Each structure stands twice: as C-alpha cells, then as structure tokens.
Amino acid sequence: MQKWLANVRITLKPVVNDPPGLAIRDGLHNLGYTSVKAIRSGKYIQLYFSADDHAAAESVVDSMCRRLLANPVIEDYAFDVQEVEQFPVSEEDEA
C-alpha cells in the first residue's frame, strides 16, 4: 500500500448565503481593507491515508467527500492527491 496526502477544499455553492464570509469582509473593511468586495469562506482539510494506487486514492477521497466531509446540497468540493513518503506523527502514534 502506498501513502497518500489529499488536500480537500470545501466551499459553499455560489447561491448559498455565507454569513462567516460577510463577517470576515466587514472585519477587513473595519481594518481599512475597503477594496475587498466579497469573500466566500470554506474549509481546508488534509487527509493522510493508504491506498493501492493513484486512482484508488482519488476514488476513496471522492467517496469521503460525498459521504461525510461536504454537504452536496450546499457545498462544492475539490481535491488533489499526492503520494508521500511517510505520515506525520500523530498524538495517537506517540501513545
């Protein structure tokens, strides 16, 4: 099994209101960054996992996004997958 890193970006669909984005925009305006006209907020997730090959890695990430990470009714997602040499050390690994 090969080791993989997936960088997942999840954003609200353009037709969905984005209250956090509006709050960020207003905060930036209050700090003097008045040239900012719109902000869309979202989530960025890094997944480290094992899969047999690149196609299997992409397939499993797509499945994770559809089933748990993104709400397909209101969110869009995009990801890239790359092979890595090792996984980062987690607290669970150190225990």
Side-chain angles (χ1 to χ4, degrees):
M1 283 257 173
Q2 296 168 289
K3 297 176 177 76
W4 301 93
L5 163 62
N7 296 296
V8 181
R9 293 161 302 285
I10 301 168
T11 56
L12 290 169
K13 291 186 175 188
V15 297
V16 176
N17 289 335
D18 186 0
L22 294 173
I24 295 166
R25 184 201 62 195
D26 293 346
L28 290 172
H29 284 181
N30 289 336
L31 292 172
Y33 300 103
T34 56
S35 64
V36 175
K37 301 302 178 198
I39 292 181
R40 299 298 289 178
S41 64
K43 298 178 273 187
Y44 173 70
I45 302 170
Q46 287 187 310
L47 301 168
Y48 291 89
F49 62 100
S50 299
D52 289 331
D53 56 37
H54 193 267
E58 285 188 335
S59 178
V60 74
V61 173
D62 187 61
S63 177
M64 286 188 271
C65 288
R66 283 186 286 107
R67 297 183 69 199
L68 178 67
L69 301 177
N71 178 344
V73 174
I74 63 169
E75 295 174 317
D76 291 322
Y77 64 88
F79 61 86
D80 60 76
V81 176
Q82 61 193 43
E83 191 172 1
V84 294
E85 293 291 322
Q86 62 186 31
F87 298 134
V89 176
S90 70
E91 292 175 12
E92 184 178 290
D93 293 336
E94 294 176 346

